[in-house]
Amino acid sequence: MRVLVVGAGIGGLGLAAGLTRAGIEVEVVEQAEQVRAHGSGVTLFANGFGALDALGIGDDVRTAAGAAGTYSSGSRRPDGSWLMRLGGAAENLRVIDRAELYRVLLAAVPRDSVRTASRVVGLGDGGVVLEGGTELAADVVVGADGLRSRVRADAFGDPGIRYAGYGAWRGITEHPVPIDAAGETLGRGARFGIAPLGDGRIYWFACVSVAPAYRAGGLDEVRRRFGDWHDPIGALLDATDPAAVSYAPIEELARRLRTFASGRCALLGDAAHAMTPNLGQGANQALEDAAVLNHLLGRDLGSAPDIRSITATLARYDALRRPRTQRIARQARLLGTVMQWRHPFLATVRDSAIRLAPTALADRQARNLQQWSLPAP
């Protein structure tokens, strides 16, 4: 059996790593000239590590991420006063430099299995068609090519892309910065997030509610908007290389897909369920997708599967993954809307609700989100 994965993102490389370990022939097709990641962090929860374990690379990622820190975490106001502190639900959470995660994923995939500078322009009868006319054949095609997926557009229809109403700057400090707490600080139409990496550096993000065509500035604009918020936000910005700061509008699929599987083609990660980052589950859900698909392909299909068995296996994948991922995407959308409220009255109501909510309730919701396991036979 031969599997063709379109897109060398976290989910696509994770699937390729699992299939390689299972002895299944796999090729990853990536349009970029080089597979690399830029300065941002990836939050991995218990469910993400469970998926990585199922793919056979969990311990490697834990080593790269470093030890989990012992920080207070929760929600604060711009003056630093606490609205809510999380309990033990975040104890297994680790934040890893995206570049380090990619390094581990690439090391688990044979070098000659990743084809770069290869842009997929459409699906063929038995695989995909590359720009220039080259056709690549496969028994199974997996679209892991992100929010603007070419595979999705060809085989599933394009649901469109929705702007969430806000954008985000992201950066990682150049060196360790002492902090005593992590989490998010909530303003009016603005948020600042702090997430420590295992080596003491800090991944941070800054969200603002702006028009879709907003032309964002760089680190100086982040300082202007957030520099007078509580410590250590100013110190984090001072410790960040301006050239390493990026800004992007927050986007998601405009509507839910009716299926993640069509014939011998399946979708994975953002191509299937691109969601806003408010629950920190984007990468974790992509890894769950990869683990389930890897499990089903390795368990249910032989070395030379027929079309009927492939179609049935991918339909099973769709039934297992679509309800959970679409539910989490809805939750993330709603949470982002509330957290970005700009009106003073609504922001005050939000802050009061967070302050009055029992810590045990927030912990239980976070733990429930992280509960995941491979499907039973």
Side-chain angles (χ1 to χ4, degrees):
M1 180 171 61
R2 173 176 162 80
V3 178
L4 190 64
V5 179
V6 182
I10 292 172
L13 289 175
L15 175 61
L19 293 174
T20 297
R21 290 177 63 90
I24 296 174
E25 182 184 357
V26 60
E27 182 173 12
V28 180
V29 179
E30 168 58 43
Q31 67 177 356
E33 294 186 2
Q34 183 179 356
V35 179
R36 60 181 179 180
H38 300 284
S40 66
V42 177
T43 304
L44 295 173
F45 292 90
N47 57 311
F49 276 112
L52 287 164
D53 287 336
L55 293 166
I57 52 177
D59 288 342
D60 292 335
V61 175
R62 289 184 182 89
T63 299
T70 55
Y71 301 94
S72 295
S73 183
S75 301
R76 288 186 274 185
R77 291 185 172 129
D79 64 5
S81 59
W82 285 95
L83 294 170
M84 178 270 294
R85 292 179 190 255
L86 283 173
E91 61 190 6
N92 294 318
L93 177 156
R94 299 192 193 185
V95 183
I96 184 172
D97 187 324
R98 189 176 294 265
E100 280 297 295
L101 179 56
Y102 269 63
R103 180 186 61 77
V104 174
L105 292 171
L106 282 169
V109 180
R111 185 182 299 271
D112 60 1
S113 294
V114 180
R115 177 193 291 254
T116 56
S118 299
R119 181 171 176 266
V120 172
V121 296
L123 299 179
D125 291 336
V128 302
V129 180
L130 303 182
E131 191 173 49
T134 300
E135 294 191 28
L136 301 178
D139 297 295
V140 177
V141 174
V142 179
D145 48 342
L147 177 64
R148 291 169 172 79
S149 169
R150 179 73 236 185
V151 175
R152 185 186 67 232
D154 263 27
F156 297 82
D158 192 352
I161 296 169
R162 187 186 80 88
Y163 174 57
Y166 47 96
W169 289 272
R170 296 179 174 91
I172 297 177
T173 62
E174 292 188 282
H175 52 77
V177 177
I179 65 169
D180 58 5
E184 285 191 345
T185 300
L186 310 180
R188 296 175 182 173
R191 280 181 287 166
F192 195 96
I194 298 173
L197 304 180
D199 61 6
R201 292 179 300 149
I202 308 299
Y203 163 56
W204 58 263
F205 59 88
C207 296
V208 289
S209 296
V210 289
Y214 179 71
R215 297 176 64 86
L219 185 59
D220 286 342
E221 182 175 351
V222 184
R223 283 198 183 94
R224 178 175 61 81
R225 289 178 176 271
F226 297 93
D228 61 349
W229 286 26
H230 66 78
D231 292 335
I233 291 175
L236 299 181
L237 301 181
D238 290 342
T240 303
D241 178 3
V245 175
S246 63
Y247 173 88
I250 302 301
E251 298 172 320
E252 62 179 342
L253 294 186
R255 59 178 174 79
R256 294 175 293 171
L257 296 180
R258 296 179 64 182
T259 180
F260 292 174
S262 176
R264 293 189 292 142
C265 183
L267 297 177
L268 177 156
D270 283 353
H273 48 70
M275 61 186 69
T276 60
N278 300 291
L279 291 171
Q281 280 290 317
N284 295 273
Q285 291 307 305
L287 289 168
E288 285 186 20
D289 290 346
V292 171
L293 190 52
N294 175 70
H295 177 71
L296 294 178
L297 292 177
R299 186 192 71 184
D300 294 349
L301 299 179
S303 59
D306 58 31
I307 293 177
R308 179 178 297 179
S309 61
I310 291 173
T311 301
T313 295
L314 298 186
R316 172 70 172 152
Y317 163 76
D318 169 63
L320 288 167
R321 294 304 302 155
R322 186 159 43 88
R324 172 168 167 80
T325 55
Q326 292 181 343
R327 181 177 67 252
I328 291 173
R330 288 195 301 271
Q331 293 171 348
R333 182 187 311 120
L334 176 59
L335 181 62
T337 298
V338 172
M339 293 303 189
Q340 288 295 136
W341 274 344
R342 303 175 69 174
H343 192 282
F345 174 74
L346 292 177
T348 299
V349 170
R350 174 201 65 200
D351 292 353
S352 297
I354 293 173
R355 189 176 62 251
L356 295 173
T359 299
L361 175 61
D363 264 17
R364 183 165 63 251
Q365 291 173 335
R367 290 183 189 278
N368 288 341
L369 189 65
Q370 298 177 60
Q371 289 182 351
W372 172 84
S373 61
L374 285 176

